[in-house]
Each structure stands twice: as structure tokens, then as C-alpha cells.
């Protein structure tokens, strides 16, 4: 029986998906619940398991094709005996007399296909890998020598790109001129580019910055690091402190938790913080919902959980939607400051710089002194269509005060 493979619905607002990679080719056996297809949306990439066991007999959508949800993209034949003959029929073999069929079948490759294969192929290569190999003039024989990390030792796109990076080719002295290399943007990079461009076209971006003395929090994290790690199984980071300060600032300035829809201001009931997380192929912004209802330890656990699952690609599409305010911590890359782009439909985003020790003038009743303090620069990007400069300045200053005066002894 033929079973249709349809483009699945990956979330409530998802209407289409892009074929990233078929991990099986026509004629391959597919087991139930085996990952055989990878699909991407504007929210997340997902590995799709087979709903039935059988043989993949038809592929109707190729890699990079954009397909509407619910449309048929392939077919699996659950009757494996009937399906075995299908790949043979697709080879365009010439009709031969019945008495010579056996001898014809013993021939390894017909002459008409030898030129096309250009050598014996030991492995199946995806269209993406074949496309790159063609662009880089890599023969099949060389592809067969690459150690694959994919399922069953299959060479993946990452394997091939890593191989190209490691391979050193001497430049012939006769070809000293260099030409531009043009390649298509990755699927996720296209989505990020479109989202960022749309935000710049939608919001009137304004940025304000301030310095924060993080010395007290740094000392507290250092003192609690060992006991916290032994009790929770992961390290205490600065992110939950920043989220806590942001939540309190939003509660004082709720306009920062709104969004614009046409000429209307949408006041959000809950504070849902979007956390920008860097991954290997780009950036994702998973959402921590209802932060105002969580205590400090709860925020620590949720920040850890959402970060790990994002990098392990275990998020659901719904976890990438519904943010009301975003935080981008580029300080983890040792960057002091930046001007982040607002994550639509939010009206505000907080950029967090690296914490660095610097000599600072300390004002006391006895007079001014100079001391070494752990300082951090915060950047607030906000939409000037809704937030005035005074409101943005007051908001970021409130975040600063919350961080510098936080009652650390009552966190747990």
C-alpha cells in the first residue's frame, strides 16, 4: 500500500516548510520512527521520523523546495515486495530478449551510464553534497574518501565543508588572479536576514547605554559557584540576575512590554523574555514565558534548560514565539558593547556586554577613591514610535539600579 508523506504542520502559525535534506533515496528501506527527512521553517529546523515502515518509492519535493503544509512530498510503499521492482523500472534499461535477461543483469554498469557516474560510487550522497562537490570540482572518487559522520557513515554537508576547509590546494603559478566565489545563503541565514531587515524597516531604532557595577554579583557568583553547581548540576551564571532585573524594570515601565499592531498598542499580560542563543548555523531566540511568576532559582533552571535544548535542536516551534522583550548577551564573546536589532514584534531589546575589571572612581562620604571594579555596559534598543527617549533612559537606569542594589541574600 502506498502511504503519502505530507508536509507536517510545525506550529500554529507555520503555513509552509522547506525541504532541507532527504536522508533516504528512492528505493531505500525506511523503518517506522526512523529519521529520514529534515525540514526547515522560519522558526526551527526539524528531523522528521517515518510514520510507517516500507520502501521510499517517490520523492516529489527536492532540497530547498518550499512546500505548503499538508501537500504530498513523497510516498512510502509498505508492501516491500512490490516496491522492490520500482527502482529497477526507473533506470531506463533497454528492452532485451527474455533469454538474455540473466546475462544482462550480471553486467555491473551499462556503457551509457559509465560517463554519468564517472567512477564507482560506494555511498549515497545527498543533493546538497553533490551540488557542493560539483561547484568545487570534487570527483566521486574523492568524495568516497571523506569520513562521514551522518547516519550509517554518510557524508553530510558539514563533513564536506570541513574537508574543504582542511584541504590545502597549492595555487598554480600560472593562475595568480583571483575570482569571486558566489554561494547561496543557508536557509537559516536567509530567515535571519529577512527578519532583521524587516525589523529595521518596521521600528524606529534608538539605542541608549549605561555602565553597571557588577562587582557585588560577581563576588556572589564566585562564592556560591561550588555549592550551587553541586546542588543543581550546572553552573550559576549572570543571566538569571539580568533577567530578574529586567522583569522588575518592566513591571515599573510596562510600556516596554507592549507591541504595535497598526495604530494600536497591544499591552501584554505576561512578561515573556526572548533569549538570543547562538548556535552553529546562526541564531535562535527561544522564549521563557511568564517570567514574573518565577523565583530566582526557577529562572536559573529555565535559562539553563532553554539554552541547552536550543543548542541540541530540541525546541518546539511554539517555544520560539510569543516574546514580549528580548535579551542579547554578546558579552559571552568578549564584546564590550553593541547595538542589537529589535526582535519583532517587541519594542525593546537589551544588549549585555562583557564584564571587565576597570579602575573606577568611587564616591564616598569620606571622599573619592579609585578602586578596581567589575563593570558591564548595557545597551537598550527601543522603538521610538512608542517609547520616548526619557522612557528608554529611565528603563535602562532602573535595570542598572536593580543589578547594583539587588538583595543577594534573599535570592534563594
Amino acid at each position: 500500500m502506498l502511504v503519502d508523506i505530507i508536509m507536517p504542520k510545525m506550529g500554529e502559525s507555520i503555513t509552509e516548510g522547506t525541504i532541507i535534506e532527504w536522508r533516504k533515496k528512492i528505493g531505500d528501506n525506511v523503518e517506522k520512527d526512523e529519521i529520514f527527512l529534515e525540514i526547515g521553517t522560519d522558526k526551527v529546523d526539524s528531523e522528521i521520523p517515518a510514520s510507517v515502515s516500507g520502501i521510499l518509492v517517490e520523492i516529489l519535493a527536492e532540497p530547498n523546495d518550499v512546500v505548503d503544509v499538508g501537500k504530498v512530498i513523497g510516498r512510502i510503499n509498505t508492501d516491500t515486495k512490490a516496491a522492490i521492482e520500482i527502482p529497477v523500472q526507473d533506470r531506463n534499461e533497454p528492452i532485451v530478449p527474455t533469454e538474455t535477461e540473466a546475462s544482462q543483469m550480471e553486467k555491473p554498469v551499462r556503457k551509457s551510464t559509465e560517463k554519468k557516474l564517472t567512477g564507482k560510487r560506494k555511498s549515497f550522497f545527498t543533493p546538497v553534497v553533490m551540488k557542493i562537490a560539483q561547484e568545487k570540482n570534487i570527483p566521486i572518487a574523492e568524495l568516497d574518501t571523506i569520513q562521514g559522520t551522518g547516519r550509517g557513515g554518510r557524508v553530510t554537508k558539514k563533513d564536506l565543508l570541513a574537508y574543504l576547509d582542511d584541504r590545502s590546494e597549492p595555487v598554480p603559478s600560472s593562475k595568480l588572479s583571483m575570482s569571486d566565489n558566489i554561494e547561496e545563503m543557508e536557509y537559516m541565514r536567509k530567515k535571519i536576514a529577512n527578519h532583521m531587515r524587516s525589523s529595521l524597516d518596521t521600528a524606529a531604532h534608538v539605542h541608549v547605554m549605561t555602565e553597571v557595577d557588577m562587582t557585588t554579583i560577581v563576588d556572589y557568583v564566585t562564592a556560591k559557584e561550588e555549592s550551587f553547581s553541586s546542588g543543581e548540576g550546572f553552573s550559576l551564571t549572570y543571566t538569571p540576575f539580568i533577567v530578574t532585573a529586567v522583569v522588575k524594570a518592566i513591571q515599573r515601565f510596562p510600556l516596554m512590554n507592549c507591541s504595535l499592531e497598526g495604530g494600536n498598542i497591544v499591552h501584554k499580560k505576561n512578561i515573556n523574555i526572548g533569549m538570543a542563543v547562538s548556535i552553529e548555523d546562526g541564531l535562535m531566540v527561544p522564549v521563557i514565558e511568564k517570567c514574573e511568576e518565577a523565583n530566582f532559582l526557577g529562572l536559573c533552571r529555565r535559562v539553563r534548560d532553554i539554552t541547552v535544548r536550543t543548542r541540541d535542536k530540541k525546541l518546539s516551534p511554539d517555544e520560539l514565539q510569543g516574546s514580549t522583550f528580548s535579551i542579547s548577551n554578546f558579552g559571552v564573546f568578549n564584546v564590550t558593547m553593541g547595538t542589537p536589532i529589535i526582535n519583532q514584534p517587541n519594542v525593546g531589546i537589551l544588549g549585555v556586554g562583557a564584564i571587565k575589571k576597570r579602575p573606577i572612581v568611587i564616591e564616598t562620604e569620606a571622599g573619592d577613591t579609585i578602586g578596581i571594579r567589575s563593570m558591564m555596559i548595557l545597551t537598550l534598543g527601543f522603538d521610538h514610535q512608542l517609547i520616548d527617549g526619557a522612557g528608554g533612559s529611565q528603563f535602562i537606569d532602573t535595570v542598572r539600579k536593580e543589578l547594583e542594589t539587588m538583595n543577594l541574600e534573599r535570592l534563594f
Side-chain angles (χ1 to χ4, degrees), residues 79-119:
D79 185 357
T80 55
K81 292 182 180 179
I84 289 175
E85 299 179 1
I86 294 178
V88 178
Q89 295 171 357
D90 291 340
R91 293 180 190 170
N92 297 324
E93 294 280 345
I95 299 176
V96 295
T98 304
E99 58 270 19
T100 61
E101 280 186 356
S103 60
Q104 290 291 331
M105 292 297 290
E106 292 176 0
K107 295 181 180 180
V109 181
R110 295 186 299 109
K111 289 183 179 180
S112 60
T113 60
E114 286 177 356
K115 184 176 180 180
K116 182 179 180 181
L117 293 175
T118 64

Side-chain angles (χ1 to χ4, degrees), residues 12 25 28 39 53 95 119 125 149 155 173 188 261-262 275 307 315 334 342 346 357:
E12 293 184 3
K25 68 180 188 299
D28 282 352
I39 291 174
S53 297
I95 299 176
F125 301 109
T149 61
V155 177
S173 57
M188 181 174 289
E261 291 185 5
M275 298 289 303
T307 302
L315 289 177
N334 201 33
I342 298 170
N346 303 167
K357 289 186 177 181

Side-chain angles (χ1 to χ4, degrees), residues 134-153:
Q134 184 179 7
E135 292 174 351
K136 302 297 182 180
N137 295 321
I138 300 177
I140 297 296
E142 186 174 354
L143 279 180
D144 281 330
T145 65
I146 301 175
Q147 186 68 33
T149 61
R151 190 178 183 87

Side-chain angles (χ1 to χ4, degrees), residues 171-178:
V171 179
S173 57
S174 60
K175 294 183 180 181
L176 296 178
S177 62
M178 298 181 66

Side-chain angles (χ1 to χ4, degrees), residues 16 36 56 68 93 138 140 145 217 226 235 260 362 388:
E16 63 184 19
F36 76 116
L56 182 63
D68 291 337
E93 294 280 345
I138 300 177
I140 297 296
T145 65
I217 291 179
E226 186 174 345
S235 300
L260 290 175
I362 304 172
D388 291 329

Side-chain angles (χ1 to χ4, degrees), residues 4-181:
D4 290 341
I5 307 167
I6 65 171
M7 175 63 71
K9 188 174 180 63
M10 307 301 295
E12 293 184 3
S13 62
I14 306 300
T15 59
E16 63 184 19
T18 299
I19 304 296
I20 295 179
E21 180 183 4
W22 286 95
R23 298 189 180 181
K24 297 287 184 178
K25 68 180 188 299
I26 294 178
D28 282 352
N29 285 311
V30 181
E31 298 295 331
K32 184 177 180 180
D33 297 328
E34 179 185 3
I35 302 299
F36 76 116
L37 172 64
E38 188 173 356
I39 291 174
T41 70
D42 58 349
K43 301 294 182 183
V44 67
D45 294 343
S46 300
E47 296 176 327
I48 307 301
S51 59
V52 295
S53 297
I55 293 179
L56 182 63
V57 296
E58 194 171 4
I59 293 177
L60 302 177
E62 298 298 328
N64 292 327
D65 285 353
V66 179
V67 184
D68 291 337
V69 168
K71 284 196 174 182
V72 178
I73 57 177
R75 291 185 174 91
I76 293 176
N77 195 337
T78 57
D79 185 357
T80 55
K81 292 182 180 179
I84 289 175
E85 299 179 1
I86 294 178
V88 178
Q89 295 171 357
D90 291 340
R91 293 180 190 170
N92 297 324
E93 294 280 345
I95 299 176
V96 295
T98 304
E99 58 270 19
T100 61
E101 280 186 356
S103 60
Q104 290 291 331
M105 292 297 290
E106 292 176 0
K107 295 181 180 180
V109 181
R110 295 186 299 109
K111 289 183 179 180
S112 60
T113 60
E114 286 177 356
K115 184 176 180 180
K116 182 179 180 181
L117 293 175
T118 64
K120 296 181 180 179
R121 244 174 104 166
K122 298 189 300 182
S123 309
F124 165 69
F125 301 109
T126 65
V128 176
V129 170
M130 292 299 294
K131 180 181 179 182
I132 297 175
Q134 184 179 7
E135 292 174 351
K136 302 297 182 180
N137 295 321
I138 300 177
I140 297 296
E142 186 174 354
L143 279 180
D144 281 330
T145 65
I146 301 175
Q147 186 68 33
T149 61
R151 190 178 183 87
R154 176 174 58 83
V155 177
T156 66
K157 178 182 178 181
K158 292 180 183 178
D159 296 332
L160 180 55
L161 293 179
Y163 173 79
L164 291 173
D165 289 339
D166 294 338
R167 187 178 68 169
S168 57
E169 295 186 59
V171 179
S173 57
S174 60
K175 294 183 180 181
L176 296 178
S177 62
M178 298 181 66
S179 59
D180 295 338
N181 180 35

Side-chain angles (χ1 to χ4, degrees), residues 10 13-14 41-46 188 195 273-277 279 283-289 306 309-310 314-323 343-345:
M10 307 301 295
S13 62
I14 306 300
T41 70
D42 58 349
K43 301 294 182 183
V44 67
D45 294 343
S46 300
M188 181 174 289
H195 190 60
I273 302 296
M275 298 289 303
V277 178
I279 59 176
L283 181 75
M284 285 188 175
V285 187
V287 180
I288 305 176
E289 296 183 336
I306 204 77
R309 288 194 295 113
T310 299
K314 294 182 178 180
L315 289 177
S316 67
D318 290 338
E319 291 179 291
L320 296 169
Q321 304 178 65
S323 68
N343 181 35
Q344 293 297 322

